[in-house]
Structures are given as C-alpha cells and as structure tokens.
Amino acid sequence: MAEKLRIGIIGTGGIARGHARSYKMLDNVEIVAGADIVPGKARDFLDKQDLPHAKAFEDAETMLKEMELDAVSVCTYNQTHAECTVAALEAGCHVLLEKPMTVTMEQAVQILKAEKKSGKIVTVGFQPRYDPNMIKIREIVQSGELGKIYYVQVGGGRRRGMPGGTFISKETAGVGALADIGCYALDMPLNALGYPKPLTVSASAYDYFGKSPVYNPQNYQRFEVDDFAVAFIRLEGGITLDFRTSWAMHMDTMGATLFLGDKAGLKVASPHPESAWGGAWDGTVGPLTLYHDKFGLLVETPIPYIQNNVDRFFEKVKDFVDAVVNNRPAPIPTSQIIYNQAILCGIMESARLGREVEVAIPEV
Ligand SMILES: NC(=O)c1ccc[n+]([C@@H]2O[C@H](COP(=O)([O-])OP(=O)(O)OC[C@H]3O[C@@H](n4cnc5c(N)ncnc54)[C@H](O)[C@@H]3O)[C@@H](O)[C@H]2O)c1
C-alpha cells in the first residue's frame, strides 16, 4: 500500500462534497480521482474541491482500472450503489458506501458476494452513529437496565423536507423517504438492540405530498416514490418495532422513540421540531429519559443530553480510513445493514401487496 491511501470518489454530486471535505482533513489519504457519468461533472467537482491534480473520469470502471486505488467512496444515487460497489471491490478497493445500502435485495446480495470474495471491507454511511447521544442510547439498551425489551417505537421524519433532483425518481433513487431517512430511523434502534433479525413486516406507503401541486409545485409531475411510510415489524427475540418516516406531513414530528422493557423504559425525544420543519432531519436525536420503579415508586430519570461539536460526517469517513489502515473490520458492516435493507425491501413489498410479508435474509 502506498504511503498515503489513494482514494477515488464515484459519483460527484451533492454528498460527494462531504466525503471530499472529510478526506481532505486527514493526513494519511489523498483523493487522486473522481468519476461521474455526467460529462465534465467529475472534473468540475475536483476543481471546486481544489484538487486540480486528481484525475477525472466519466465512468467508474475506467477510473478503477487506471488508478490503482486503495479505497473509494460510492456517492452515487441509490440505484447504482451496487454496481459501483461491486466494481470497486473487484478492483481490490475498500468501499465507503453511502446510505441506504441499495434499493433491492438482489443488489444487496451482489454487494455481499463481492465483498466476501474480495476480502475488502464495505462500510455503510450512517453518520448519526457517531453522535455521542446515539452511543449513549446503545450503551443504555445494551446495559440490561431496561430488562427484556419487547417493544420499540421509532419515527424519524420531516414536516416539510421534500427533496427533488435524483431523490424522487424510480430510476435513480428507486425508493423515497422510506429509504432516504427511514434507513437512519431503523438503524438507531436496531443498532442499539444489536441488530436482531427481522422476521415479518406489515406496511403502508403514501405519496400525497409528493404528488400534490400544492405541496410540491415544482416536482409533483415527476414524483415517483413514497413520501411517508409506516410499518409493524416483528424482530427475532419477540421484539415488535413500530416504525414511521416522512419527508412531509401535517405534524411537527413523528414523536419520540420509545424502548419498552420489563424493568424500565427509555424515551428518546425527537430533536427540536424546527429541525424537522427545515427538512434537516437525518437521524439526529433529542434528550433521553429513563422510566422505572424505585422503592415501589414511579421514577423518571433524565439522562443529560450530551452537548457536542462532533463532526459526525468527518468521524464516519475517519473511522473508515482507520479501519482500512489498521486492518480492522468494517465499522458499520454489511452484515448488520443487510437487515436494515431487508426491512426496507419488506416494507416496499408489503405496501405494494397490501399485506404482511416474511422477511427473507439470503445466505451468502
Ligand atoms: N450520509 C448523508 O448524510 C447523505 C446525504 C445526502 C445523500 N446521501 C446519499 O448519497 C447518495 C447520493 O446523493 P446525492 O445527494 O449526492 O445525489 P446526487 O444526485 O447529487 O449525486 C449522485 C451522483 O452520482 C452520479 N452517478 C450515478 N450513477 C453513477 C455511476 N454508475 N458512475 C458514476 N457516477 C454515477 C450522478 O451522475 C450524480 O452526479 C444517495 O444514495 C443518498 O442517499 C447521503
């Protein structure tokens, strides 16, 4: 391996900027190339990132063949996550893949197979995990303080946060709010619980806001995905997960996240509604409260909110780089996120069929 990790970025749109910014803050990496299928876009991006020496390509395959990269960030829209990740793995690169993992289970399985064959790591970009409050939630849930956890309610959503661009077409995003921010809403409790296996899903999905000329005047005619989804998910270990997510709704937030155990309960307040109004919700959490009994009395214990300036996005990129450099496993591994993906796919299927479906986790 060269002295500095040689990094390539596949897909030089919006979020690639966050990857470039973070890599540039690290001494042990160098962004040497970028690729985007839109002609001229990668060059323009690299120049704007003050990376004039990095090489621009108009397809990822050529970049991977010519550049001898150590690692890549896959920052393409959802529908091309799998093809770009597989190509990068086959070229011997480690991959930092943007969320959601994929759109379909077939695509997710392609990634798992290529990852296994390559011996390289794929980590999925769930930066909310690096929020110290999120780490505290996991610590509390894992401590056993709540006893046997049997019910979790989670709802991440925005009041008015309808995106446009590549996020609302089937061909590019493939799925709407459900995967875009729903994947974060799922990751929070699933990660805290230790990623129990999903068994069944019963779900509905809607698009009233996306298709409305009143609420989505610019894009209603080309809106093809969901803007709201709700699901009842059975998890291994007798846990029920009650989930909701939205890009737009006539409500301030989707409410608190609740963990109910037989010894105690944990409430994770929604972040301030204004962050939902502005469309900024991306897995952020509010203050925590523990509900339990002491000496036969009902007690509420506020857990102080950890004020922090953690640059969560930078931390996710840094953790990926550290894992590659130190030969560590993927920080946010596909072995977990395949469950997240299976739930998203189960929700899509159940909503389409109008009935409960079983969640199949393919063996790879
Ligand atoms: N982690 C986060 O905070 C965060 C935030 C926003 C978006 N995202 C995720 O990042 C991904 C991209 O989002 P975005 O806002 O940057 O979208 P975008 O549409 O701005 O950029 C995607 C780019 O990928 C390019 N592309 C698509 N297929 C390609 C291929 N096969 N080879 C090379 N280039 C290809 C497109 O031309 C486009 O320029 C999405 O999956 C989204 O969910 C993550």
Side-chain angles (χ1 to χ4, degrees):
M1 199 178 284
E3 211 173 280
K4 285 191 179 198
L5 281 192
R6 290 168 59 79
I7 305 284
I9 297 180
I10 306 181
T12 56
I15 205 58
R17 292 196 292 264
H19 288 251
R21 176 183 72 83
S22 303
Y23 284 125
K24 288 194 294 184
M25 288 159 70
L26 293 166
D27 293 337
N28 55 348
V29 306
E30 188 179 3
I31 300 170
V32 295
D36 199 292
I37 46 174
V38 175
K41 192 164 177 176
R43 182 69 274 149
D44 188 47
F45 171 84
L46 294 168
D47 289 344
K48 286 204 175 102
Q49 290 298 325
D50 200 18
L51 296 164
H53 303 299
K55 267 191 93 171
F57 294 85
E58 286 173 9
D59 75 286
E61 300 275 348
T62 313
M63 177 182 87
L64 291 163
K65 208 184 312 163
E66 286 187 14
M67 293 303 293
E68 292 188 5
L69 303 169
D70 297 306
V72 300
S73 278
V74 172
C75 301
T76 62
Y77 35 72
N78 309 341
Q79 285 284 25
T80 52
H81 281 186
E83 65 186 59
C84 294
T85 301
V86 169
L89 290 166
E90 286 176 350
C93 296
H94 299 281
V95 179
L96 170 51
L97 169 62
E98 263 308 336
K99 45 54 62 175
M101 185 174 176
T102 54
V103 177
T104 67
M105 281 310 276
E106 291 74 20
Q107 293 167 345
V109 168
Q110 286 166 15
I111 292 180
L112 292 186
K113 284 186 175 157
E115 184 184 13
K116 192 172 179 186
K117 196 166 163 202
S118 70
K120 304 291 170 185
I121 61 169
V122 178
T123 189
V124 189
F126 286 99
Q127 71 271 8
R129 285 209 194 177
Y130 296 90
D131 177 346
N133 294 287
M134 206 67 100
I135 294 167
K136 186 57 70 188
I137 293 168
R138 185 168 198 278
E139 203 179 302
I140 294 167
V141 168
Q142 288 287 316
S143 72
E145 179 80 17
L146 308 185
K148 163 69 194 142
I149 294 169
Y150 53 90
Y151 174 81
V152 180
Q153 165 187 307
V154 69
R158 303 174 183 159
R159 179 168 175 174
R160 289 288 186 277
M162 189 72 76
T166 58
F167 282 76
I168 57 170
S169 97
K170 284 256 183 245
E171 199 190 337
T172 51
V175 51
L178 167 60
D180 179 36
I181 52 177
C183 68
Y184 290 130
L186 287 173
D187 190 59
M188 187 251 262
L190 291 174
N191 183 42
L193 292 163
Y195 258 96
K197 195 170 177 178
L199 304 174
T200 63
V201 171
S202 186
S204 301
Y206 300 89
D207 58 7
Y208 288 117
F209 279 78
K211 289 239 166 74
S212 159
V214 176
Y215 296 111
N216 197 13
Q218 281 168 0
N219 289 319
Y220 73 97
Q221 281 167 318
R222 63 178 200 92
F223 192 89
E224 298 172 340
V225 293
D226 59 281
D227 58 40
F228 178 85
V230 53
F232 182 88
I233 303 150
R234 288 178 210 278
L235 302 171
E236 201 170 57
I239 306 168
T240 298
L241 176 58
D242 180 344
F243 158 88
R244 287 147 272 136
T245 196
S246 94
W247 270 339
M249 59 184 166
H250 291 305
M251 192 45 62
D252 54 353
T253 74
M254 282 273 103
T257 295
L258 309 179
F259 291 87
L260 299 187
D262 67 353
K263 292 209 176 73
L266 177 67
K267 184 189 277 184
V268 182
S270 280
H272 194 276
E274 277 167 17
S275 70
W277 288 31
W281 194 85
D282 69 344
T284 321
V285 295
L288 315 182
T289 313
L290 201 59
Y291 293 79
H292 51 132
D293 283 15
K294 272 257 150 74
F295 311 112
L297 300 172
L298 302 180
V299 178
E300 292 179 21
T301 309
I303 315 268
Y305 183 77
I306 308 167
Q307 299 294 343
N308 67 87
N309 295 318
V310 172
D311 179 343
R312 300 178 300 158
F313 206 96
F314 168 70
E315 291 302 324
K316 95 169 170 185
V317 174
K318 180 175 179 296
D319 207 13
F320 168 62
V321 168
D322 286 351
V324 170
V325 170
N326 299 311
N327 238 346
R328 275 201 282 119
I332 303 179
T334 54
S335 57
Q336 291 180 355
I337 305 306
I338 191 71
Y339 289 180
N340 189 304
Q341 189 61 43
I343 293 174
L344 297 177
C345 290
I347 292 174
M348 285 184 256
E349 195 192 350
S350 169
R352 187 175 58 81
L353 297 172
R355 61 167 172 79
E356 184 173 70
V357 295
E358 292 201 0
V359 177
I361 310 289
E363 281 292 323
V364 173

